[in-house]
Structure formats: C-alpha cells, structure tokens
Amino acid sequence: MRDPNFEGYHIRKWFTSIEDTLATETGALADGEPVRKIVIAAAIHNPYAGRYSESLDEIVGRSAALGLEFGRRVKS
C-alpha cells in the first residue's frame, strides 16, 4: 500500500462540486430559497488492486473517518 496520508488511507485527491438551482426546468424562478446540492468524493488507493479478497475491511474499517471529513468539508 502507498503511504497513508489521511486516517490510514492514501488519498490521491478530493473532489467537491456545488450546484445551486435558481429556476425550474421551464426557466421560471424558484418560489423559495435556491436548492443547493453538494457532492464530495475521495479518490483513494485501492488496497485490493491485483488480488482477490472476500472482505472489504481494509477500506470499510476506517470509513467513519472519511464520513466525518466529508461532513466537515460540506460545512466549510
């Protein structure tokens, strides 16, 4: 595995996308606050590349740390 750089994972990059919808599909202005959609993803090193495993524990075991970081990034 590559050297971990975040909570035991090796993250190559973070991806964040923010979309604010101000009008409907017809072009009419929304009748309230804009709808905001946020997408956050992490490209992590796959410890299973090149081998078979019945368990995904190497990825899933520490995934709570990723979830907390996703939440932190949404707030900022």
Side-chain angles (χ1 to χ4, degrees):
M1 178 172 172
R2 303 199 186 251
D3 292 333
N5 58 8
F6 176 82
E7 299 291 336
Y9 292 99
H10 178 82
I11 297 179
R12 191 169 72 82
K13 62 181 167 180
W14 290 96
F15 172 80
T16 305
S17 175
I18 300 174
E19 173 184 287
D20 292 323
T21 302
L22 307 174
T24 66
E25 298 82 19
T26 64
L29 294 178
D31 59 354
E33 293 293 316
V35 175
R36 174 165 276 185
K37 296 178 185 177
I38 302 174
V39 175
I40 298 179
I44 64 172
H45 171 74
N46 180 0
Y48 301 105
R51 67 182 175 98
Y52 174 78
S53 176
E54 290 187 13
S55 169
L56 296 178
D57 288 344
E58 289 181 51
I59 293 177
V60 177
R62 297 176 308 276
S63 62
L66 284 174
L68 290 172
E69 180 63 13
F70 290 157
R72 187 192 70 76
R73 288 171 179 259
V74 166
K75 288 181 184 178
S76 57

